[in-house]
Amino acid sequence: MTRTGVWLIGARGNVGTMAIVGARAIATGHATTAGLVTERPPCTTLKLPGFDDLVFGGHDITTTGISSRAQLLAANGTPPSSTVEAVSDELERIDDRIRTGTITGSGSAIEALAEQSINGESLSSMVEQLRRTYRVFVEKHDLGRLVVVNVASTEQPLEQPARFDSRATIERAIETDDRTLPASAVYAYAALLDGHPYINFTPSTGASLGGLQELAIERNVPHMGRDGKTGETLVKSALAPLFAGRNLRVTSWSGHNILGNNDGRVLEDETHQAGKLESKGGVLEELLDGTFHNQVRIDYAPPLGDWKTAWDDIRFSGFLDTEMSMRFTWDGSDSALAAPLVLDLVRLIAHADEHGEGGPQPQLASFFKSPLGVDEHDLSRQFSMLERYVERHAEEHP
Amino acid sequence: MTRTGVWLIGARGNVGTMAIVGARAIATGHATTAGLVTERPPCTTLKLPGFDDLVFGGHDITTTGISSRAQLLAANGTPPSSTVEAVSDELERIDDRIRTGTITGSGSAIEALAEQSINGESLSSMVEQLRRTYRVFVEKHDLGRLVVVNVASTEQPLEQPARFDSRATIERAIETDDRTLPASAVYAYAALLDGHPYINFTPSTGASLGGLQELAIERNVPHMGRDGKTGETLVKSALAPLFAGRNLRVTSWSGHNILGNNDGRVLEDETHQAGKLESKGGVLEELLDGTFHNQVRIDYAPPLGDWKTAWDDIRFSGFLDTEMSMRFTWDGSDSALAAPLVLDLVRLIAHADEHGEGGPQPQLASFFKSPLGVDEHDLSRQFSMLERYVERHAEEHP
Amino acid sequence: MTRTGVWLIGARGNVGTMAIVGARAIATGHATTAGLVTERPPCTTLKLPGFDDLVFGGHDITTTGISSRAQLLAANGTPPSSTVEAVSDELERIDDRIRTGTITGSGSAIEALAEQSINGESLSSMVEQLRRTYRVFVEKHDLGRLVVVNVASTEQPLEQPARFDSRATIERAIETDDRTLPASAVYAYAALLDGHPYINFTPSTGASLGGLQELAIERNVPHMGRDGKTGETLVKSALAPLFAGRNLRVTSWSGHNILGNNDGRVLEDETHQAGKLESKGGVLEELLDGTFHNQVRIDYAPPLGDWKTAWDDIRFSGFLDTEMSMRFTWDGSDSALAAPLVLDLVRLIAHADEHGEGGPQPQLASFFKSPLGVDEHDLSRQFSMLERYVERHAEEHP
Amino acid sequence: MTRTGVWLIGARGNVGTMAIVGARAIATGHATTAGLVTERPPCTTLKLPGFDDLVFGGHDITTTGISSRAQLLAANGTPPSSTVEAVSDELERIDDRIRTGTITGSGSAIEALAEQSINGESLSSMVEQLRRTYRVFVEKHDLGRLVVVNVASTEQPLEQPARFDSRATIERAIETDDRTLPASAVYAYAALLDGHPYINFTPSTGASLGGLQELAIERNVPHMGRDGKTGETLVKSALAPLFAGRNLRVTSWSGHNILGNNDGRVLEDETHQAGKLESKGGVLEELLDGTFHNQVRIDYAPPLGDWKTAWDDIRFSGFLDTEMSMRFTWDGSDSALAAPLVLDLVRLIAHADEHGEGGPQPQLASFFKSPLGVDEHDLSRQFSMLERYVERHAEEHP
């Protein structure tokens, strides 16, 4: 397939770095394809961009380079040091393509993290700058397509997002330099306007605004979001259907998350946490009958580094109102869980773009906590949606 | 709907007793319908026998009556004492309908439990006696239909079950009084021969023999089994698809079950445990890719009474071979988890019988650890099979 | 022994009610002595007040009587309904002795709970009223001794407690009607002034103020506090010495508590939670070497009722800096864990008073999260302190 | 202090290798002293052999050298590869000092592991050979003292150990070549006879026989055993006193261990497991009142490698017979938990030998599951025994 650009907003973060290291390690034969949805049936029958066809670039607001970040991750357990070493030259080369990002309208916790940022004279000039950056990258690397992916830290939630329900209101905001429009939406606007597929892997606003969805339809650009489903919520979406299907009435579902990376640090800030908790808790509201005590906690525990642990306590009433319970713990590397999904999404949205499938992509619902335009939260049924998409393509393009 | 007989093999056991108490409590307004799959969508659109239309009888090999058993269960936490009291007169009446059962070919751990049993002069005479017992019950209570359900303790596994692959071989075994044919198969044969729907809620042989399946087809009798999916395996069938779907490679899944009831006592015997472990572990083999360490332990812990706890430890490799893990505990009342499923199955198989749907019933796959004739073990997809069955009936009989 | 009055501040709460039900059930032969430290060696060699010698009274700010509260607890799992019924007449009689309490200086979350309260014209008049109440109770029931016990909901922490470091400063506050002096201290002052032993089972201020400790010494009255050690912290005080003793360096100890009773409701308020978290986390600071991430969460989960679950996640570095971990869950009835300790403390402080042992009582350290005047937090060593106290008495009064 | 030889029976195993790597890494400044009891108070006031004064040698029955074993361990997570590299030259040198060991009377699971072994013409000749080996090592390395430590895989339990209750019976067994006398006892005999302090870190027989204890007293040689307390049992000895001290009546304590190293493989064999389970379960019998369901499982899970996980489920009755529960998981590297204790024990028994303290060493009780001659199993009180030993020495040798 044609060369595909992958433009990561937050490229120097843990997820961005892990995705880049992994893609290069797979491309050069230094790693297996474990954890990649696109590398097992049904997706293996699709014609997707190869790992060696992915060309990485991106924006960031920190100055620690990808190579250093990768070494820090390795010291924390994953990726293996030997893998980082095997691709370290390429990491340096990719890091040279990272441009300084913007944090306009992102909130104080993001501001506290920023070691560098651009703010533009106006939103209009910033949009022009972003478009130019994307275009230059495409030209320089002779790319057939550019996928823009948001893997940056979580912004504060946007108040009254309905203000931006049409393309017109968004463009007016840009013209009038309305700085409540957050960075994630600005990045998405610049991408969609020029036909670059867009993925929002975070709970930030991104392309979820009505006006951006309108723009994507107009330009027939595929996009999807939001908030990658990597751990506790992934398990919730697999387990909750069990309780619902068996008419076991959940009375209390209480989740406690501890993690030690920047994500945890930003989420310590209650404003930033709000959006995250909504998508984490919301899955259960959709999947379970009736009312129940639904609580999610996220706590920052620095010694855990990039690792996270979720502990969930579930109480339910069964036959003759018998009170029973289930608990689980989930221990994983935040980035090692997220990064392969980023690569899967890039490959699958490139495929959609190739086939002229613009707008939100429901077949990608299983990847997200809050899949745009999809009400189905049952993980197995979301997997079935992807399976049916693949089958349809197999029939149409045998 | 017409009155439906429910003939429980093992009626005085915990599951049988809990099912009877529950059905009567619901029928008389003393309990909610929590835990019943047939009391939530999609099944609520089917025309099913009402709880007050169910007439209970059965066989047993113990002498402790249903009423006493119910009180023992209540002292152990569930059902509530007040519920037992509310239906205690009826329990006495139902207990009068319990006949002494047989344990022929069941193995030594079952023999150790038996306080009473019939052995018959020959298998032929025993078959005739069972058919007569079923017939008398139907006539006496003016039943439109009789469903026979095996909820007895687990027999030892049958060696070389392929010996009984045709109706002819089974009937020859009965004629020649081949006592390796186990009680569960004898009960099933007598039921199917006279057109009584049959459910095997246990890992025992029951109607799984080829010859009994042939008979069921010939007589067009619905039947299903085996081994009710109530706890650890239920969770496995919800969780394993998550790992498979995400290409997270499970390297070790180790389950430890502790329980304190007769089930635990019988399963302490390694011969009897073999069959159980096969169906508990097998679900994972079906759902997960590749090879992995797959272990299940069942230990008898008398202080737990009718409660059981499963602890499962799951290790998996993800992106860049990162080792991660998940653990869960499941705490429930064995009988309170099983009993509603027995009632659901009775109602749903009566529905199938009413509509002339003989043979194995794939729409009931979600209820069993080893669903007869069904390869799908993904719980959500099994639920979908039931949903589609209901939808089909809704279309056909609007 | 002589009849001993037990005056419970918060008598109608879960802990007060459970203690009263239990004491009466034991006295009348309706319950075993499980959970009582004073009913196993070494304490069994001490001459302590019998359960039938305890005469209960108290203050409260709610109007739901002890008998109703006991029934609510029974419906939540413990005590058994039959136990409550067996002593229900006595519960009514004891409830008649409950007087309306004060919540002066207790904070807004307590105010929100209060269905009734006295506020007095002034602190002076309130102190006089309390003294009279105590005295009347002693005279009416012909008591040889009155032990005052605080089992009320947690007040907000007192700011700058050092203001009240001498008896003089406290008495000046009372004279000048300084309403920052909290209710728990006022109750304690009135008790100590007239020689009534005092126990603070809560994290509230109570007799911890320097001025009240001075008063206790002057009057030679025994007292002890604070914050009964019933669950997570109890486990911490048993486990932390393992890590310290083995030079396993804890890097992170993260605890999450969920509970559903009024305690949980009050502690949802961050102001009130502060004091609790301090005593829960502080134990670890005392027991472990070095610095580490030490976090405690308390969340209100109404469906749990009087039950609480703690989940603790412990990370530690061992040999060659190997990272390892331990997790535990603790599931218990808050009141059933606390109530026997209240009875133990009453009996043991009565014993101290009988032997003229005034001031703080270090032998009772094992009962408290923050034992007054004791630096030892290792549970086994705290048990040894009690053992040595008993041995000393055995030698002195053989 | 003088140079101290450390002769490891099973030197090439995980524990032996980890101890050697660790000692050398600490001696050469490549590792911290985390996990070493002797490197924190109170032991830091004792005059103990330095890490650079320890000279390693040993026996083994496998041919994979220490250096290769260390690399395998590093690939499994610990020690860090960089640590292994830093000392790899020394590992080669030490491996040259390893002599082929014996497995006489050790049982079939050990035989299955052996890649090489000596069997001797007779036990007498084997004893002579061992004595010579010890002596040659002492002379060659100019050692002031040689400590012999058993860290080999667990033998099958010895039947009727009372047969060897006197030195005479043991020596007769050697003379008559009674091959029921297991290897561990033969090694111990040869050591004690020539005054070499001996430590049995395994559940094997070692010096626990009455006749060997008699010999140790006669020669005034210090020795101690058996079965290093590194994980689940360590936690039990810290937690059980909590339940006992609070009169919380444990009804069921069920432990499930999974581990993936050779220890797990040998313990899969039921004969070999028997001894291990006895010492793991026995601790609870000593610490808890009354009777209870006490079960321990050890399962071999190869994917875990050198790591082990214990899951314990504890049920207890409290006040008014309220049923409550606690669960814990313990995740650790088997060798990283054991190895520092081996070094601690070598240093502390060298100290005892230096001060002429022969026979069993009760101050070392905290290190063992079944401490020879010590009834105290409460971990904190065992730590106190060590503390008092240190204090006594501080007083005697200020």
Side-chain angles (χ1 to χ4, degrees), chain B residues 251-252 254-256 258 270 293 295 297-304 307 309-311 313 315 327 329 331, chain D residues 251-252 254-256 258 270 293 295 297-304 307 309-311 313 315 327 329 331:
Chain B
T251 54
S252 170
S254 177
H256 189 210
I258 48 178
E270 296 208 348
H293 178 72
Q295 180 163 48
R297 277 275 181 204
I298 306 177
D299 283 325
Y300 179 46
L304 273 65
W307 290 75
T309 293
W311 175 70
D313 174 277
R315 312 283 168 123
R327 278 102 183 247
T329 50
D331 287 287
Chain D
T251 55
S252 172
S254 176
H256 188 210
I258 47 178
E270 297 210 347
H293 178 72
Q295 182 164 47
R297 278 272 181 208
I298 305 177
D299 283 327
Y300 178 45
L304 273 64
W307 291 75
T309 293
W311 175 71
D313 174 278
R315 313 281 167 125
R327 278 99 183 249
T329 50
D331 288 287

Side-chain angles (χ1 to χ4, degrees), chain A residues 156-170:
Chain A
Q156 66 188 5
L158 176 63
E159 286 183 26
Q160 298 176 282
R163 285 180 293 155
F164 303 110
D165 252 5
S166 68
R167 179 174 172 186
T169 54
I170 285 181

Side-chain angles (χ1 to χ4, degrees), chain D residues 237-259:
Chain D
S237 70
L239 274 183
L242 179 165
F243 295 100
R246 277 290 173 88
N247 205 2
L248 298 167
R249 296 170 187 178
V250 170
T251 55
S252 172
W253 192 311
S254 176
H256 188 210
N257 296 270
I258 47 178
L259 74 170

Side-chain angles (χ1 to χ4, degrees), chain A residues 217-239:
Chain A
I217 298 287
E218 279 179 32
R219 303 278 173 172
N220 196 33
V221 199
H223 70 102
M224 196 58 185
R226 52 184 174 162
D227 207 0
K229 190 159 73 174
T230 61
E232 187 194 37
T233 313
L234 178 68
V235 179
K236 281 177 171 172
S237 70
L239 273 183

